[in-house]
Amino acid sequence: MSESPISQTDSKHSKQRRALLKGAVGMSVLGIASGLTLAVPGISYAAALTREERDKLTPDQIIAGMKEGNVRFRNGKMQQHDYLAQKRASAEGQFPAAVILSCIDSRAPAEIIFDTGIGETFNARVAGNVSNNDLLGSMEFACAAAGAKVVLVMGHTACGAVRGAIDGVELGHLTGLLNQIKPAIAKTEFSGERTGKNAQFVDAVAKSNVLHTIEEIRKQSEILRGLEKEGKIKIVGAMYNLNGGAVEFVS
């Protein structure tokens, strides 16, 4: 029986993507160092990431690819994703390269910020990008069971959850969540006004909170700590700037 037109199209795009990925993995670091972007106008990235493609990547290459994706996002040169084809290609299996723990803020969608497609990243979102047992279990699944090689904790500027923690907001279950951010407030060295009205202080605490969450992940998860010690994964942090769109990696 001959292949359907859809199957033939997906197969063609899959081969195209694999060919591009092989070159992009090596070129992404060079592109970042030289300030160049690697977006190719007119090319549709149809196929989802395969196990073979993901397993060939190192954690550092995955991080480099995320940085390059953010460059494309900021420059308005994002890949032309064929999401329907990616959906079909990943329906029977997923092989994401990274798991991203970010804030629920509607202005900070990690998949778009890093210009990734369906099946490329696990995405966990909670106000203030804090970690708890459920999120730890999800990240352990992503890395130990599904093979992701990077854990990225991403905060952002002008974070309402951080501001609420600074100002001592109390509201139902939100109260307990904001309490998890308060250790970061105490750790933040800042000489100016230490209130939620001071945007610079809010951003400084948000950065401290990213680092605090990473510390908690390593302390609370023997599985992730062990994988990182073995060099199988990297746990890193980042801050997303709502104004300029840049992601600054902080660890």
Side-chain angles (χ1 to χ4, degrees):
M1 182 180 295
S2 63
E3 285 187 297
S4 69
I6 291 178
S7 298
Q8 292 174 351
T9 299
D10 284 352
S11 176
K12 177 182 177 181
H13 283 309
S14 181
K15 292 178 181 178
Q16 182 184 63
R17 179 190 173 91
R18 283 195 289 272
L20 285 168
L21 181 65
K22 290 177 182 177
V25 167
M27 293 174 64
S28 61
V29 177
L30 296 176
I32 293 166
S34 63
L36 299 175
T37 62
L38 300 176
V40 184
I43 292 180
S44 176
Y45 291 80
L49 195 64
T50 67
R51 183 195 296 273
E52 180 184 14
E53 290 168 349
R54 192 272 312 279
D55 289 351
K56 287 181 179 178
L57 299 172
T58 67
D60 284 337
Q61 287 174 326
I62 293 166
I63 293 168
M66 296 171 77
K67 290 179 178 179
E68 186 63 30
N70 180 241
V71 171
R72 293 194 300 271
F73 167 72
R74 295 191 336 252
N75 292 338
K77 297 181 179 179
M78 300 171 72
Q79 297 171 347
Q80 298 181 37
H81 296 279
D82 186 337
Y83 292 114
L84 291 179
Q86 289 174 3
K87 172 184 67 68
R88 290 191 295 268
S90 61
E92 296 184 4
Q94 59 169 341
F95 308 101
V99 53
I100 304 171
L101 172 58
S102 59
C103 184
I104 198 174
D105 195 292
S106 65
R107 301 164 294 176
E111 301 98 317
I112 296 175
I113 291 167
F114 291 115
D115 189 21
T116 61
I118 294 173
E120 295 189 7
T121 59
F122 288 107
N123 295 279
R125 301 185 68 177
V126 62
N129 42 273
V130 299
S131 178
N132 59 29
N133 288 339
D134 295 328
L135 289 166
L136 283 173
S138 299
M139 290 185 285
E140 288 170 350
F141 163 77
C143 295
K149 298 182 180 182
V150 171
V151 174
L152 172 64
V153 179
M154 187 177 76
H156 64 91
T157 58
C159 181
V162 169
R163 183 182 299 111
I166 293 171
D167 291 341
V169 170
E170 295 185 0
L171 178 65
H173 294 290
L174 179 63
T175 304
L177 187 154
L178 296 183
N179 285 339
Q180 296 183 63
I181 300 174
K182 290 184 177 179
I185 302 174
K187 293 179 180 180
T188 302
E189 297 182 3
F190 193 82
S191 58
E193 181 184 0
R194 298 174 65 91
T195 71
K197 295 179 181 179
N198 188 337
Q200 291 183 329
F201 181 58
V202 172
D203 291 349
V205 174
K207 183 175 180 178
S208 295
N209 185 50
V210 167
L211 299 175
H212 175 69
T213 298
I214 290 174
E215 290 177 5
E216 289 299 300
I217 290 172
R218 289 176 175 145
K219 183 169 71 174
Q220 300 296 332
S221 175
E222 181 180 351
I223 291 174
L224 295 175
R225 184 172 66 249
L227 289 172
E228 185 178 42
K229 186 175 181 180
E230 294 170 7
K232 295 180 178 179
I233 70 169
K234 277 197 170 184
I235 305 174
V236 296
M239 280 289 294
Y240 171 61
N241 190 308
L242 291 181
N243 288 324
V247 175
E248 173 196 3
F249 281 71
V250 297
S251 66

